[in-house]
Amino acid sequence: MLVRAGAALLGLPRSPRPWVGGGGGMRRLSGGAPPPPAAVRCFPLSRALLRVQGPEAATFLQGLLTNDVERLVSGGADRPPEGGAPPPRAQYTHALNVQGRCLYDIILYRLHESQEEEPNILLECDCSVLDSVQKHLKLYKIRRKVDIAPCLDLSLWAVIPEEQSGDVSSILDKCADKTLVLTPDPRAEVMGWRLITNKEENPLEIVPGSHIGNISDYHRHRYKQGIAEGVKDIPPRVALPLESNLAYMNGISFTKGCYIGQELTARTHHMGVIRKRLLPVQLSAPLPLGSIPEGAAILTESGKSAGKYRAGGDELGIALLRLANINEPLHISLPGDTSVNLTASIPNWWPKTTNK
């Protein structure tokens, strides 16, 4: 994980040489011959970034988001022992409404290096709801000492190794002075890394041996792994956080204090059974984009409702399904008295023993 704080926008001090993971544990980056090229794709993401900075930034976000923001912020004071894991630099979370339904899926990035520094956090969200996220934050800001501003001069990338590329940490050997943020995606290991750069920077110069990927391949990868992202996959005021696999993706704390929407979420986790979840689905044949309406009913062979289709591309997609029906033959009825069959699968990255 790498962070260099030197962007004029953020006014941060330059960080020391970072720690990266590899084989036998944590080690410091060192000089020497450049590593051999690795098969890594950099995908430009249509996601927006907001800066939330100020003495009360962590306390402010703690009351609005599902995860423990204090843990993210206080992690900046820690240094990993030899062979130990570093503190998290990124954190997945959701903002909920008072009824406990999802509003926005968010990734937070810590930019400050110690507890003595003023909290400085980047907030990643779907670009189509950037204005809504800003209004939501400012609604609850009241008199808190927090500054909220969009980061229009920053770019966000997903860095995903090819399946056979092996350990890619070696390619980061010379990245310390070239990037603002480079950190593992906090949702799941299968999603690779998140990279934040200044607009004028070329990610191919930051990640040696990489190449620019087609964004459609990024979404295919997401759908294949069952990773929901954005308002089409997680429709605001409709989706529920635990049905959206928030706990599986390290996006919620059940031990932190109160936050908006906590009551229903905590009760469902501690007392209820989650009968529906977002799952990757594969259609029997590729379909043109938009052929399946958002929220289209998924039916069993007998015509019983099994869930709803959320979004997808070609033959891959993501759907909210009743777990009791996922092994049955399923289909979606389409206009013109036609239908398309689909199969659901449980991702390998899910916990092996689950029902919550």
Side-chain angles (χ1 to χ4, degrees), residues 38-333:
V40 178
R41 292 174 294 173
C42 295
F43 297 99
L45 301 180
S46 57
R47 303 271 288 175
L49 291 166
L50 281 171
R51 177 170 58 90
V52 182
Q53 184 175 13
E56 298 181 282
T59 304
F60 169 62
L61 293 175
Q62 184 80 333
L64 296 178
L65 303 176
T66 57
N67 218 332
D68 188 354
V69 183
E70 295 286 355
R71 179 173 177 268
L72 175 74
V73 172
S74 63
D78 301 328
R79 288 289 179 266
E82 192 66 31
R89 190 61 86 162
Q91 185 182 78
Y92 184 55
T93 187
H94 279 196
L96 309 180
N97 64 11
V98 293
Q99 288 80 29
R101 294 187 179 270
C102 301
L103 290 176
Y104 316 110
D105 64 301
I106 288 167
I107 298 179
L108 301 177
Y109 303 91
R110 188 187 76 245
L111 297 179
H112 60 282
E113 289 293 331
S114 72
Q115 286 182 307
E116 287 70 36
E117 294 181 60
E118 184 174 85
N120 199 333
I121 299 168
L122 286 181
L123 184 154
E124 171 196 328
C125 64
D126 190 311
C127 65
S128 69
V129 294
L130 175 61
D131 290 342
S132 297
V133 173
Q134 282 187 268
K135 290 177 182 177
H136 180 73
L137 295 178
K138 291 179 178 179
L139 176 66
Y140 292 97
K141 178 184 172 183
I142 313 177
R143 297 180 181 177
R144 292 191 182 275
K145 298 177 181 178
V146 177
D147 293 321
I148 303 166
C151 299
L152 302 179
D153 61 345
L154 298 181
S155 296
L156 178 67
W157 302 79
V159 180
I160 301 180
E162 302 281 2
E163 289 185 6
Q164 304 302 322
S165 62
D167 181 11
V168 300
S169 62
S170 62
I171 71 168
L172 305 177
D173 195 33
K174 296 202 173 205
C175 294
D177 296 322
K178 296 181 181 179
T179 184
L180 181 64
V181 174
L182 180 58
T183 185
D185 191 309
R187 298 172 296 181
E189 186 177 353
V190 294
M191 291 307 296
W193 296 57
R194 252 10 192 203
L195 169 66
I196 300 175
T197 69
N198 292 305
K199 287 281 188 184
E200 66 274 10
E201 291 181 320
N202 183 352
L204 304 189
E205 296 176 356
I206 297 170
V207 184
S210 63
H211 60 276
I212 302 297
N214 189 314
I215 191 62
S216 64
D217 291 334
Y218 170 76
H219 293 303
R220 284 181 61 85
H221 177 73
R222 278 201 309 106
Y223 291 136
K224 185 177 179 180
Q225 299 296 338
I227 300 287
E229 182 179 285
V231 295
K232 289 188 176 181
D233 297 349
I234 311 172
R237 299 176 180 84
V238 174
L240 289 167
L242 298 185
E243 290 183 350
S244 303
N245 302 322
L246 187 62
Y248 289 0
M249 294 194 287
N250 311 303
I252 189 168
S253 169
F254 295 106
T255 58
K256 63 176 280 186
C258 296
Y259 58 89
I260 294 174
Q262 179 195 31
E263 184 177 355
L264 175 63
T265 307
R267 186 168 65 245
T268 302
H269 172 73
H270 291 296
M271 301 178 62
V273 174
I274 301 169
R275 302 185 186 280
K276 294 182 289 183
R277 285 191 179 273
L278 285 180
L279 288 160
V281 294
Q282 182 165 353
L283 307 180
S284 55
L287 294 178
L289 187 65
S291 299
I292 303 178
E294 294 177 19
I298 298 175
L299 307 173
T300 65
E301 204 169 26
S302 63
K304 178 183 175 182
S305 173
K308 294 183 178 180
Y309 185 84
R310 285 281 173 81
D314 295 327
E315 80 283 11
L316 299 177
I318 195 166
L320 182 69
L321 291 172
R322 298 181 188 278
L323 297 177
N325 300 126
I326 62 174
N327 293 320
E328 299 181 36
L330 302 173
H331 71 275
I332 299 174
S333 296

